[in-house]
Amino acid sequence: MSLSELPPAIRALARADKLRLIQLLADDVAGEDMVELDLADQTVPIWSPHDAFEGAAALLRVLDQDKAGP
Amino acid sequence: MMRGAQRFPYVEIAPLLGAASALPYVPLTLKHDEKVVSVSALVDSGAALNVLPYDVGAELGAHWQQQTVPVQLTGNLASSDARAIIVTATIGQFAPVRLAFAWTRNNQVPVILGQINFFMEFDVCFFRSKSIFQIGPRGSNGD
């Protein structure tokens, strides 16, 4: 069933069923939020120093000195 | 295929997760002051520099106090002191090269081969869909 088919079906529901549907959708959305929160709480260590450019520049200077010899 | 390149398989570091945990680790030997250590290093094109964990540097006979150039790291490594150290690295049958590492006090990190200066010494091609990568001496792509 596509989304466009839903409104006519929903309008045909009794008022009490419409309220239950609202509650059902709210619970579903809250459940999805909980899943996202669980993922957000996970700690995933990322060791890669992807932006350590000052450190990289320091290494280049040391390499230049190494090439130049003692 | 790069001329003179050597092919390596991706390594699944968490067998239970299979291909999801496959990373390009390459075996290499490091030499410093006549001491040689064999390690498996992460080829990390996203890393700005090479990183050496503390214990590997110690195994190579390096003395922390003698390495006087501080190196500022970032991310999870930012809180650990690091100093520059140069070692001789050999991969496969390729000629040894001098690699500069940020030698960190941290031991939770793998040996990382980054832009400075691993990627300046070697040309690398990743074929993740085939779970292989190729490494060749710089210039091995014909340019």
Side-chain angles (χ1 to χ4, degrees), chain B residues 18-36:
Chain B
S21 68
L23 288 171
Y25 273 86
V26 63
L28 78 163
T29 59
L30 302 174
K31 185 178 178 186
H32 179 76
D33 286 348
E34 303 308 316
K35 288 197 175 177
V36 177

Side-chain angles (χ1 to χ4, degrees), chain A residues 44-67, chain B residues 44 46-49 51 69 71-72 74 76-77 84 86 98 100-102 106 108-109 112 116-117:
Chain A
V44 182
I46 298 174
W47 297 107
S48 180
H50 71 280
D51 56 353
F53 304 121
E54 286 184 24
L59 292 188
L60 279 178
R61 285 193 294 274
V62 172
L63 280 167
D64 285 343
Q65 289 168 7
D66 182 62
K67 281 178 191 164
Chain B
D44 186 354
L49 39 61
V51 178
V69 178
V71 180
Q72 182 59 54
T74 57
N76 286 13
L77 290 168
I86 294 184
R98 300 281 277 167
F101 284 87
N106 200 305
Q108 303 303 312
V109 65
I112 293 175
I116 305 297
N117 65 328

Side-chain angles (χ1 to χ4, degrees), chain B residues 95-131:
Chain B
V97 296
R98 300 281 277 167
L99 293 184
F101 284 87
W103 182 24
T104 172
R105 296 290 270 188
N106 200 305
N107 271 319
Q108 303 303 312
V109 65
V111 177
I112 293 175
L113 301 173
Q115 294 295 331
I116 305 297
N117 65 328
F118 175 78
F119 280 85
M120 296 176 77
E121 295 292 341
F122 294 96
D123 293 329
V124 184
C125 279
F126 298 97
F127 301 92
R128 182 59 176 84
S129 61
K130 297 177 181 172
S131 291

Side-chain angles (χ1 to χ4, degrees), chain A residues 25-39:
Chain A
L25 289 172
D27 290 345
D28 275 2
V29 171
E32 289 169 7
D33 286 347
M34 287 301 291
V35 170
E36 287 177 12
L37 283 174
D38 288 344
L39 289 174

